[in-house]
Each structure stands twice: as structure tokens, then as C-alpha cells.
Amino acid sequence: TYNTRLDVSAAARAALVGRAEAGDTGARAIEAMLSRDLLPRLADFFLNSLVSGSVPKTFEVAVNTDATFAVAAAGPRRRHVS
């Protein structure tokens, strides 16, 4: 394991809930949003961190002004050697 913590901002939580409430599919809408919009960004961020050899202790999911999800390191990074 990488012992990395994930923080989700209040705005990101509100965006997920708001998008789910906008339709009548509920949990399926959240699952689709996570799969389509969030997981690819998380994977890119984490893989790029591993390649660079510097893994954040914490990373955060937030919402950009254009309503897309943003993933960024929050706090210090630590060196990762594979």
C-alpha cells in the first residue's frame, strides 16, 4: 500500500450529490460520474506521482470553476522507490 489519504472537498461532495439528485437514477448516476469523470483523473494523478517517484501523503478531489473534478496533492510528498 502507499498509505495515501484521499480528501474530498465539500464542493466536490455537493457536486456529486447535486448531479445525482438532478436525475432519477440516484446511486447509478454517482457510480457513472465516478467511473467517467473522477477515476480517470485519480488514476492519471496517482500514476504520474509514482512515475515521478514522489507520492503525496494526502491528495484532494475538488471542483474546478467549469464544474469538472480536480485532483491535487494536499500537503507534503514522500519519495517512493519501487
Side-chain angles (χ1 to χ4, degrees), residues 8-22 30 33 61-63 67 69:
V8 180
S9 72
R13 288 175 203 260
L16 285 167
V17 171
R19 293 175 195 178
E21 289 176 341
I30 291 176
M33 281 183 286
V61 174
V63 179
F69 291 106

Side-chain angles (χ1 to χ4, degrees), residues 1 7 10 16 21 23 25-26 39-40 54 59 61 64 69 72-73 77 79-82:
T1 68
D7 287 339
L16 285 167
E21 289 176 341
T25 57
L39 287 178
S54 177
F59 60 101
V61 174
N64 292 317
F69 291 106
R77 291 178 171 258
R79 183 155 171 73
H80 174 73
V81 179
S82 54

Side-chain angles (χ1 to χ4, degrees), residues 15-50:
L16 285 167
V17 171
R19 293 175 195 178
E21 289 176 341
D24 61 351
T25 57
R28 285 186 290 254
I30 291 176
E31 182 180 13
M33 281 183 286
L34 291 174
S35 296
R36 181 188 64 235
D37 302 329
L38 186 55
L39 287 178
R41 291 177 195 272
L42 286 171
D44 285 345
F45 177 81
F46 202 75
L47 288 173
N48 286 332
S49 293
L50 288 174

